[in-house]
Amino acid sequence: MDRVVQRAKRISLVDGEALFQQGDTATRFYLVVEGHMKLFRLAPDGNEKVIELVDTGHTFAEALMFLEQPRYPVGAVALGDTELISVDAADFSAILRDSVDLCLALLGDMSFRLRSLIREIDDLSLHSATCRVAAFILARAPADCDDFDLEIPKHVIASRISVKPETFSRIIKSLKSKNVLEIKGSKVHLLDREALEDAADVCGLPVEVT
């Protein structure tokens, strides 16, 4: 830990500020200390597809340290004011060579992410847009409170769960008409958590955004 800290850097980003672009040389990976990061790819026509939303306490881009001459396969932009810790990938890779326990811990984390991606592919191919919206919202709802701030812009959420923004809006209106939930701005109020859980259960476990 002391060695990592010596080479780590703290980075502050404002809302919408880019950390790196798709195709940039990857020399560091990152821990989100506060805020959120949007990882996305651009289609040839310029349309953006959100690949992942990284929340406080989670890391991203660390798997690239195992590649020769790695480049970031996505772009990264801050959602709101965000604080990051930047870690030297080459130095951390050298640390891994001396620590079997650290290697196993990292493999375990990557295996968990792989299972999450497989589950997401299953959700996208087999389950409805309503199911995906319900699962996303439920995954961000505190266990002991029915009122919370969604924080992530609605069009970003729509891209993340592969629905059109207008479809997302229609689903939210439908859920409100059924007295399941209501959203005003970024504020979410769950009117019937059990009904929302029933909708999300169609997808299995709630969508986890990490």
Side-chain angles (χ1 to χ4, degrees):
M1 181 62 70
D2 289 340
R3 179 173 169 179
V4 170
V5 169
Q6 288 174 6
R7 292 176 175 265
K9 298 178 181 179
R10 194 175 187 97
I11 299 174
S12 298
L13 301 175
V14 298
D15 182 37
E17 185 175 357
L19 176 64
F20 53 75
Q21 302 291 339
Q22 181 177 324
D24 286 353
T25 300
T27 59
R28 308 184 74 85
F29 65 91
Y30 304 89
L31 166 68
V32 181
V33 178
E34 183 178 350
H36 310 273
M37 291 298 297
K38 176 181 70 174
L39 307 184
F40 65 96
R41 286 183 63 84
L42 290 176
D45 61 3
N47 288 329
E48 178 183 290
K49 172 64 177 89
V50 178
I51 302 299
E52 191 170 3
L53 298 172
V54 188
D55 294 327
T56 299
H58 293 278
T59 58
F60 61 98
E62 64 269 38
L64 298 176
M65 78 176 83
F66 300 111
L67 302 177
E68 294 184 8
Q69 300 179 335
R71 294 185 178 276
Y72 295 114
V74 296
V77 170
L79 294 175
D81 294 341
T82 301
E83 296 286 330
L84 305 170
I85 296 295
S86 165
V87 179
D88 185 291
D91 187 61
F92 194 86
S93 179
I95 294 174
L96 290 176
R97 293 186 178 93
D98 298 326
S99 175
V100 174
D101 290 341
L102 187 55
C103 285
L104 291 175
L106 189 58
L107 284 171
D109 180 71
M110 291 182 177
S111 295
F112 177 81
R113 293 189 188 188
L114 178 60
R115 290 197 301 271
S116 296
L117 289 172
I118 292 172
R119 187 181 68 210
E120 181 180 340
I121 291 171
D122 182 62
D123 290 344
L124 291 174
S125 60
L126 299 178
H127 302 301
S128 69
T130 297
C131 165
R132 300 200 300 275
V133 170
F136 185 96
I137 293 174
L138 186 63
R140 290 182 172 267
D144 57 351
C145 181
D146 291 334
D147 295 278
F148 60 99
D149 195 331
L150 196 54
E151 296 181 342
I152 307 299
K154 296 181 181 65
H155 71 279
V156 175
I157 296 173
S159 178
R160 177 65 184 89
I161 59 178
S162 297
V163 300
K164 294 181 178 180
E166 55 269 29
T167 301
F168 181 85
S169 296
R170 285 199 299 270
I171 291 170
I172 295 300
K173 289 180 181 179
S174 175
L175 292 173
K176 181 180 179 180
S177 69
K178 297 175 182 177
N179 293 317
V180 176
L181 62 80
E182 61 180 357
I183 299 179
K184 295 182 179 179
S186 63
K187 304 297 182 182
V188 180
H189 176 55
L190 301 186
L191 301 169
D192 189 339
R193 183 183 289 263
E194 185 175 347
L196 188 64
E197 290 174 346
D198 288 343
D201 280 345
V202 177
C203 290
L205 296 174
V207 174
E208 183 170 353
V209 184
T210 59

